[in-house]
Amino acid sequence: MEQTQLDVEFMDGYRDSKKERNNMNVITCPQELKATSDVTVFLAGGITGCPDWQAEILEVIRRSPKWQNTEVTFVNPRRSTFDVSNPAETVFQIGWEKRHLDACDIIFFWFPEETLCPITLYELGKAVGSKRSIMVGCHPVYKRRLDVIEQLNDVIDMYTFEGHTPVLSTLTDTLDRLHSCINDEDIA
């Protein structure tokens, strides 16, 4: 997938993990998460064969006044370069993701329309089984959307927010739900 100049500038700006506007910190693989008082959020979802939705939401947060007083560290598994055909890199990536999924306070799941995300489905099942705090969004035409909804219905009491569906349909709605939950706001 070709990166635009905005993508390159955006990723270069966050690669060193310094605090940016809105008290946001971003850790990107292969960096390691250090102890922090921030809420930590792992960005779980499609990487291969889909748009860079992680950069999209990080840019929205960076520019949004509503996130200004939210101290949050996002953990992003998407690397600027990753050779999936290299077994050593793949093993490292899997280990890095496991450590950081376990370390984060909230796991933000996004299932884009372009790919089935089999690893992300596994990670969602594991998170639900361990009663982790999650946010889940599926693109409206994601091919396994109904599966995700039905599987979460088994644990609906744990993942229902004031009677609202646990699976949202847009990145924006899922991000808004995340903001509300981090800031203990009523969910509209």
Side-chain angles (χ1 to χ4, degrees):
M1 174 178 287
E2 183 178 318
Q3 286 188 322
T4 66
Q5 183 60 33
L6 177 61
D7 293 333
V8 171
E9 289 172 11
F10 176 75
M11 294 311 291
D12 286 346
Y14 284 101
R15 213 172 303 294
D16 63 359
S17 292
K18 292 182 179 170
K19 289 269 182 172
E20 293 289 339
R21 181 176 168 222
N22 298 350
N23 298 315
M24 179 174 71
N25 192 17
V26 179
I27 302 299
T28 303
C29 186
Q31 296 170 320
E32 294 292 329
L33 179 64
K34 306 274 191 275
T36 178
S37 61
D38 292 358
V39 172
T40 54
V41 179
F42 188 94
L43 301 177
I47 294 177
T48 304
C50 65
D52 190 350
W53 62 270
Q54 296 93 341
E56 181 182 333
I57 66 166
L58 293 170
E59 181 65 13
V60 167
I61 293 166
R62 188 180 69 78
R63 293 175 185 257
S64 173
K66 93 178 194 177
W67 284 86
Q68 272 185 328
N69 297 317
T70 304
E71 293 195 5
V72 61
T73 295
F74 288 94
V75 178
N76 184 0
R78 187 187 288 254
R79 298 196 252 175
S80 59
T81 59
F82 175 60
D83 180 3
V84 73
S85 68
N86 180 329
E89 282 192 43
T90 298
V91 168
F92 177 84
Q93 181 78 23
I94 291 168
W96 185 94
E97 289 186 28
K98 284 181 183 177
R99 282 192 310 282
H100 289 84
L101 280 162
D102 289 343
C104 286
D105 301 313
I106 299 170
I107 305 172
F108 181 101
F109 287 95
W110 177 248
F111 293 89
E113 68 179 307
E114 295 84 1
T115 181
L116 289 180
C117 302
I119 295 167
T120 307
L121 288 167
Y122 166 77
E123 292 167 344
L124 176 62
K126 186 176 176 188
V128 168
S130 65
K131 298 180 170 43
R132 301 292 311 275
S133 294
I134 63 172
M135 292 289 126
V136 183
C138 292
H139 190 280
V141 298
Y142 171 65
K143 288 179 178 70
R144 305 310 297 198
R145 180 179 172 80
L146 183 59
D147 297 273
V148 172
I149 291 169
E150 289 302 312
Q151 293 297 327
L152 288 177
N153 279 339
D154 287 344
V155 290
I156 195 105
D157 292 337
M158 189 166 78
Y159 293 112
T160 300
F161 305 97
E162 313 264 327
H164 297 278
T165 180
V167 179
L168 298 155
S169 297
T170 68
L171 267 174
T172 301
D173 289 346
T174 311
L175 192 56
D176 286 347
R177 173 79 50 83
L178 175 66
H179 182 270
S180 295
C181 288
I182 289 173
N183 292 290
D184 293 322
E185 299 169 352
D186 289 331
I187 297 170

